[in-house]
PDB file of all heavy atoms in Angstrom:
ATOM      1  N   ASP A   9     125.681  75.338 150.061  1.00  0.00           N
ATOM      2  CA  ASP A   9     125.747  75.564 151.477  1.00  0.00           C
ATOM      3  C   ASP A   9     125.804  74.245 152.258  1.00  0.00           C
ATOM      4  O   ASP A   9     124.992  73.348 152.057  1.00  0.00           O
ATOM      5  CB  ASP A   9     124.506  76.334 151.927  1.00  0.00           C
ATOM      6  CG  ASP A   9     124.598  76.781 153.390  1.00  0.00           C
ATOM      7  OD1 ASP A   9     125.684  77.088 153.871  1.00  0.00           O
ATOM      8  OD2 ASP A   9     123.517  76.782 154.024  1.00  0.00           O
ATOM      9  N   ASP A  87     120.934  70.882 145.844  1.00  0.00           N
ATOM     10  CA  ASP A  87     120.355  71.472 147.068  1.00  0.00           C
ATOM     11  C   ASP A  87     118.819  71.540 146.955  1.00  0.00           C
ATOM     12  O   ASP A  87     118.328  72.226 146.112  1.00  0.00           O
ATOM     13  CB  ASP A  87     120.983  72.866 147.253  1.00  0.00           C
ATOM     14  CG  ASP A  87     120.632  73.461 148.609  1.00  0.00           C
ATOM     15  OD1 ASP A  87     119.704  72.962 149.300  1.00  0.00           O
ATOM     16  OD2 ASP A  87     121.265  74.464 148.991  1.00  0.00           O
ATOM     17  N   LEU A  88     118.162  70.811 147.812  1.00  0.00           N
ATOM     18  CA  LEU A  88     116.699  70.835 147.822  1.00  0.00           C
ATOM     19  C   LEU A  88     116.093  71.534 149.018  1.00  0.00           C
ATOM     20  O   LEU A  88     114.953  71.443 149.252  1.00  0.00           O
ATOM     21  CB  LEU A  88     116.208  69.391 147.784  1.00  0.00           C
ATOM     22  CG  LEU A  88     116.620  68.520 146.569  1.00  0.00           C
ATOM     23  CD1 LEU A  88     116.116  67.087 146.701  1.00  0.00           C
ATOM     24  CD2 LEU A  88     116.125  69.161 145.308  1.00  0.00           C
ATOM     25  N   ARG A  89     116.925  72.275 149.745  1.00  0.00           N
ATOM     26  CA  ARG A  89     116.451  72.996 150.985  1.00  0.00           C
ATOM     27  C   ARG A  89     115.909  74.328 150.577  1.00  0.00           C
ATOM     28  O   ARG A  89     116.686  75.241 150.161  1.00  0.00           O
ATOM     29  CB  ARG A  89     117.599  73.116 151.928  1.00  0.00           C
ATOM     30  CG  ARG A  89     118.211  71.732 152.382  1.00  0.00           C
ATOM     31  CD  ARG A  89     119.520  71.876 153.001  1.00  0.00           C
ATOM     32  NE  ARG A  89     120.490  72.370 152.013  1.00  0.00           N
ATOM     33  CZ  ARG A  89     121.794  72.614 152.249  1.00  0.00           C
ATOM     34  NH1 ARG A  89     122.274  72.450 153.444  1.00  0.00           N
ATOM     35  NH2 ARG A  89     122.558  73.037 151.324  1.00  0.00           N
ATOM     36  N   GLU A  90     114.612  74.480 150.724  1.00  0.00           N
ATOM     37  CA  GLU A  90     113.935  75.734 150.270  1.00  0.00           C
ATOM     38  C   GLU A  90     114.442  76.991 150.882  1.00  0.00           C
ATOM     39  O   GLU A  90     114.412  78.023 150.298  1.00  0.00           O
ATOM     40  CB  GLU A  90     112.439  75.578 150.460  1.00  0.00           C
ATOM     41  CG  GLU A  90     111.797  74.567 149.523  1.00  0.00           C
ATOM     42  CD  GLU A  90     110.312  74.430 149.692  1.00  0.00           C
ATOM     43  OE1 GLU A  90     109.691  75.236 150.431  1.00  0.00           O
ATOM     44  OE2 GLU A  90     109.726  73.556 148.998  1.00  0.00           O
ATOM     45  N   ASN A  91     114.977  76.911 152.131  1.00  0.00           N
ATOM     46  CA  ASN A  91     115.480  78.086 152.842  1.00  0.00           C
ATOM     47  C   ASN A  91     116.959  78.332 152.569  1.00  0.00           C
ATOM     48  O   ASN A  91     117.530  79.278 153.104  1.00  0.00           O
ATOM     49  CB  ASN A  91     115.208  77.937 154.339  1.00  0.00           C
ATOM     50  CG  ASN A  91     115.971  76.731 154.935  1.00  0.00           C
ATOM     51  OD1 ASN A  91     116.377  75.865 154.173  1.00  0.00           O
ATOM     52  ND2 ASN A  91     116.080  76.697 156.235  1.00  0.00           N
ATOM     53  N   SER A  92     117.563  77.552 151.651  1.00  0.00           N
ATOM     54  CA  SER A  92     118.961  77.740 151.323  1.00  0.00           C
ATOM     55  C   SER A  92     119.224  78.789 150.231  1.00  0.00           C
ATOM     56  O   SER A  92     118.393  78.835 149.317  1.00  0.00           O
ATOM     57  CB  SER A  92     119.524  76.354 150.954  1.00  0.00           C
ATOM     58  OG  SER A  92     120.818  76.512 150.423  1.00  0.00           O
ATOM     59  N   GLU A  93     120.317  79.452 150.349  1.00  0.00           N
ATOM     60  CA  GLU A  93     120.675  80.398 149.262  1.00  0.00           C
ATOM     61  C   GLU A  93     121.027  79.709 147.970  1.00  0.00           C
ATOM     62  O   GLU A  93     121.020  80.293 146.918  1.00  0.00           O
ATOM     63  CB  GLU A  93     121.892  81.289 149.743  1.00  0.00           C
ATOM     64  CG  GLU A  93     121.495  82.240 150.828  1.00  0.00           C
ATOM     65  CD  GLU A  93     122.654  83.130 151.254  1.00  0.00           C
ATOM     66  OE1 GLU A  93     123.629  83.233 150.443  1.00  0.00           O
ATOM     67  OE2 GLU A  93     122.549  83.739 152.321  1.00  0.00           O
ATOM     68  N   THR A  94     121.284  78.422 148.061  1.00  0.00           N
ATOM     69  CA  THR A  94     121.675  77.646 146.840  1.00  0.00           C
ATOM     70  C   THR A  94     120.595  76.650 146.474  1.00  0.00           C
ATOM     71  O   THR A  94     120.859  75.654 145.765  1.00  0.00           O
ATOM     72  CB  THR A  94     123.072  76.937 147.043  1.00  0.00           C
ATOM     73  OG1 THR A  94     122.981  76.111 148.235  1.00  0.00           O
ATOM     74  CG2 THR A  94     124.168  77.916 147.160  1.00  0.00           C
ATOM     75  N   PHE A  95     119.345  76.919 146.837  1.00  0.00           N
ATOM     76  CA  PHE A  95     118.172  76.076 146.544  1.00  0.00           C
ATOM     77  C   PHE A  95     118.127  75.790 145.049  1.00  0.00           C
ATOM     78  O   PHE A  95     118.201  76.722 144.203  1.00  0.00           O
ATOM     79  CB  PHE A  95     116.887  76.713 146.997  1.00  0.00           C
ATOM     80  CG  PHE A  95     115.655  75.935 146.741  1.00  0.00           C
ATOM     81  CD1 PHE A  95     115.468  74.719 147.175  1.00  0.00           C
ATOM     82  CD2 PHE A  95     114.644  76.562 145.987  1.00  0.00           C
ATOM     83  CE1 PHE A  95     114.262  73.956 146.893  1.00  0.00           C
ATOM     84  CE2 PHE A  95     113.435  75.868 145.743  1.00  0.00           C
ATOM     85  CZ  PHE A  95     113.287  74.580 146.219  1.00  0.00           C
TER      86      PHE A  95
END
Side-chain angles (χ1 to χ4, degrees):
D9 186 37
D87 189 345
L88 299 177
R89 300 163 294 178
E90 291 182 6
N91 61 343
S92 171
E93 291 183 16
T94 55
F95 178 59

